[in-house]
Amino acid sequence: MGFGLEKCCCLIPLRLGTFFIAIWFFAIYLIYSATGFLGVNAIVFYSGQAATPWYYISMLFSVFICLGGFCGIIVSCFASRKFAKVFSVIVWINVDLSILVYLISLILIAVNKNHLASSCQVVGFVGIGNPQQDIAPVQLHNEHSYYSPVRYYPGLRTEHAADQETCARIMRDFIILFGCLAFVIQLIQIYFAYVVSAYAKRLSNGARHHRLHDQQIKEFEETRYHMSTVY
């Protein structure tokens, strides 16, 4: 794999590109994991609220991807074909796990958008300004359309509550934005995986070239020695 790539993004050497790619996986998924634990990551929170076990599974996957990126940073500092080959496998595993995390999270949020909108009516939309660490489902417990949670009192969980129409619009826009962003990120990461594979393949080919070159020199020296003994 690698399509015979010579440069990353058409201008960055493969080794340096592999280093940047490792930083990408480490930094992006470190932020993803940290914001998930802090309760400000809407993707982690709402997918976890839709299916509680998925919260822990997705966080485990994101931590594994982060560790894979950290290993890549170390590997890319050494031009070792063995380490590069290992990282080329790790990066494809990272891509597969990332696709699973984004795809399953998107499906869970899209399927449960009405319930999540009800949660938004009570606690507001989760974000940096409105962290929520309790992923237990939160829903309105009466059917009266005139009901509205207590709002605008600092310190209350309902401080950021919103009306039904606002929450429905926010959830719809969030799902669309999340879907588009996830698609673009996956395309980028698949390309990155091909770059790392190309780098590992180049190191492997270089090692074979050096071994062949050394063998040719050895054979030449042996032939010259035998010719000198004949004459």
Side-chain angles (χ1 to χ4, degrees):
M1 292 181 292
F3 294 136
L5 293 172
E6 297 296 330
K7 299 281 186 179
C8 174
C9 303
C10 301
L11 51 90
I12 304 175
L14 290 180
R15 182 178 177 181
L16 183 59
T18 298
F19 178 71
F20 288 149
I21 290 167
I23 291 177
W24 162 279
F25 280 105
F26 175 71
I28 293 297
Y29 290 94
L30 178 62
I31 295 172
Y32 184 92
S33 302
T35 54
F37 284 123
L38 293 173
V40 297
N41 187 325
I43 299 171
V44 174
F45 179 81
Y46 288 120
S47 62
Q49 203 171 57
T52 302
W54 176 246
Y55 171 83
Y56 300 100
I57 295 172
S58 65
M59 292 304 294
L60 180 63
F61 283 174
S62 63
V63 169
F64 181 87
I65 296 171
C66 177
L67 292 176
F70 180 72
C71 292
I73 293 174
I74 297 174
V75 166
S76 58
C77 293
F78 306 95
S80 169
R81 63 181 183 277
K82 291 182 180 179
F83 288 155
K85 187 175 182 180
V86 169
F87 183 53
S88 69
V89 174
I90 291 175
V91 77
W92 279 107
I93 294 175
N94 282 0
V95 170
D96 292 339
L97 290 179
S98 177
I99 291 174
L100 280 177
V101 168
Y102 284 120
L103 182 60
I104 295 177
S105 297
L106 179 61
I107 292 173
L108 287 173
I109 293 172
V111 170
N112 296 276
K113 64 180 180 179
N114 292 332
H115 296 297
L116 300 178
S118 297
S119 173
C120 169
Q121 287 181 255
V122 178
V123 299
F125 186 77
V126 172
I128 295 177
N130 182 29
Q132 297 289 334
Q133 294 182 319
D134 184 4
I135 61 171
V138 178
Q139 298 182 12
L140 299 175
H141 292 290
N142 69 67
E143 299 177 353
H144 301 293
S145 59
Y146 57 79
Y147 173 82
S148 179
V150 178
R151 301 170 60 188
Y152 310 124
Y153 290 93
L156 291 179
R157 194 181 182 192
T158 57
E159 174 184 0
H160 299 280
D163 58 71
Q164 181 179 1
E165 182 180 353
T166 300
C167 284
R169 176 178 53 79
I170 290 174
M171 292 306 301
R172 183 193 66 231
D173 294 345
F174 170 64
I175 291 171
I176 294 173
L177 179 61
F178 174 32
C180 294
L181 187 62
F183 179 74
V184 172
I185 288 175
Q186 296 315 310
L187 288 181
I188 293 173
Q189 291 186 160
I190 290 172
Y191 171 75
F192 284 169
Y194 275 109
V195 170
V196 175
S197 295
Y199 175 62
K201 186 176 181 180
R202 169 178 287 186
L203 288 181
S204 179
N205 290 341
R208 284 198 296 268
H209 172 74
H210 286 305
R211 287 196 299 269
L212 179 60
H213 180 67
D214 293 341
Q215 182 64 28
Q216 288 174 338
I217 293 176
K218 182 179 179 181
E219 290 176 355
F220 174 76
E221 292 294 339
E222 289 177 350
T223 302
R224 189 173 65 173
Y225 173 76
H226 287 304
M227 292 294 292
S228 64
T229 57
V230 171
Y231 293 103

